[in-house]
Every structure is written in C-alpha cells, then in structure tokens.
Amino acid sequence: PEEAFWITLSVLVATCPCALSLATPTALTCATTRLNSDGIMIKSSHVMETIPKINTFAFDKTGTLTTGDVSIERVNVLSTNTDFDEAQILAIAAALESHSEHPLAKPFNQYRNFKINASNIKVISGKGVSGLIDNKQFHIGKPSWLIDSFTEFEKTQEILTNASCVLIHENNLIGAFYLTDKIRDDAQSLLSKLNVNNQTLMLSGDSQKACETVAKSLSIPHYFGGLSATDKMNKLKNIQKEHNATVAMIGDGVNDSPVFGAAHVSIAMGCGTDIAKSGADVILLNNQLSSVSTLSNIAIKTRRIIFQNYLWAFGYNAIVLPLAVTGFITPYMAVIGMSASSILVITNSLRLLKK
C-alpha cells in the first residue's frame, strides 16, 4: 500500500498521450512548411491524405503542359470579299479577343488597333467571343463552335482539324489562325515519372490535332481535344466511373473550374486565372509543373512518417505501461520516457523539412 501512490503516479505519467497527439499535426506542419518553401500552397485539408491514393493524372494543355506564351504562326485569309486583308482581320480579332481571358487571346494583343472597338460583347466560356464592330457582327473562337454551317469552303475540314481559332463575319468565314505554344521544359521529365505507375491523360479545349502533337511529344496515351468546360467534367466523371480512377486534375483556365470540382484533387498553375486558383485544392505558386511530382513524393513520405510516429507512440505505451503498473518504473523515469517519446516523434517529423 505504501507504494500505491507512486505506482499510480508513474502509470498516469507513462500513459500521457503526448506522443500520440503530436504524431499527425507535427508531420503535417513540417510537410506543408516544406511544400510552401518549394512554392506549393495547400488550400484543402484532404490533399495530403488523398494524393498518395491518386492513380490518374489529367492535364489541361495550354498554360499547363505548355508555357502559355502563345504566338500566331500563320493567318489564313479565306474571305472572297476583298474588303478584308490580313492586317484588318488581325485587328478585328484583337478587338474581340481583348475581352477574353483565355490564353489563346494573348497573342492578338500586339495587333490591337484602338480605332477599332467592339461592342455588345458576349464571351462564351471555352468557345469564343462575339461582338459588333461598326455595327457588323463578328465571331471568333473554336472552329468546332463556328464552322459547322460553312461547308461550302473546300478547306473547311482542314481548318476544323488544324486551325486554333477562326473569324466569322456575317455568316462568312473570313480568317483562320494557327497558333503555336512551347511545351514546358519540365513537362517531359514529369510525365516520364508519372507514366511508370499512373495513368495520364489530356483534356483540352484546343483542336484534336494540337492535342495530338503535344501528347505524342510527352508520351501521353490518352488525349481529348475540342472539349468545352462541361465536356471536360463529363469526360473526367466517365473515367472515374469506368476505371475506378482516383484523379488529380492540373489546369490553369476558366474552363477548368467545373472539372476541378469533379476531380479528387485539383491543382492550379500559379499563372492561371483567379477563378481556377480560387477553386483549386493546390496552387503551384512557383509555376513549375515538376512540383506535381514534389507534392506527390512529400505526401507519400508524410503518410509514412505519420505511421512511424503512431507505431512508436503505441509501442512505447505498450512497453512502459506494464512496467509502471508492476512498480519497475519510478515517476521521474516515466517523465523522462514520456518526454523522450515526444521528442522522438517531433524529430522524426522534422525529417520532412530536409530537401
């Protein structure tokens, strides 16, 4: 009986759940700190838990797999009306595209003629822009959206396949624009790593031909072009349902917002639109595609370290508790053991900060 108080005190100290309570938060804090230092911002709490389960990575094309620094490679003047030459077509296109935030609108800025202004503008997300210039109706956007009723042109099918966007005036096809974009320097290395154990695919609003070119360069087996924002979302849901896929979607544009909501984890490029970044679970502030691999590696390592922390915490209690109950551990020894256990858990979590 004279030892009961000290044994009870030893048991209470030995079973204090400090290490257990520190196992997860210390690991997550160190992981997010490491990611922040690499320019990766986590916005949603489920990201670190879900990323290790991802088996499918879906990418947008323009601004994601490519740099988004689009340039006009060629302009095809198709009008039979001599009132429009190449300079005028570019100026009209620039006036319309100045109202769009799509990456494909940027290369037209250099051709802006401020004497030409568009009114009654309608921006249709993922398709194009319509407006009035000198009280004449013009449309610019995806060929698949505008060109269906212009089959009288022999080159229609070629334009539909290859052109990035077309310009329509009063139901007449007057111009087609062929744009080029550079693939990101780190895209190839990232896709090479992801293709080893994961499925990769591309969902883009650009033409199928443009998607095919990029997909073959990066060895992406599945690619789908000419998709609207709704089409992207439906395509992703079908893949999730048919293949039981856990999907991470990487994008940057306005038309990626719906598909972000359908993906298990959504990742936005730092150079992306505000709408895309506000709806994403992760933002790559450094604007580097290789950060997707860093995020995946850190998440997997974090899960492993959390498991190690719990294993040690439970193991320590399993060993110490019987010794404390039988009186082999004094209170001061229990205090030292409890503190050492907590320090060990914290030290193990700090390994996540190492690069």
Side-chain angles (χ1 to χ4, degrees), residues 81-99:
N81 186 338
T82 56
D83 289 344
F84 297 102
D85 57 20
E86 182 175 320
Q88 290 174 317
I89 287 175
L90 283 169
I92 292 169
L96 293 170
E97 293 286 20
S98 64
H99 297 273

Side-chain angles (χ1 to χ4, degrees), residues 56-78:
T56 302
F57 288 85
F59 295 87
D60 179 38
K61 185 179 85 67
T62 305
T64 303
L65 290 174
T66 63
T67 60
D69 297 327
V70 186
S71 60
I72 300 176
E73 182 181 33
R74 179 166 59 94
V75 180
N76 194 352
V77 180
L78 298 165

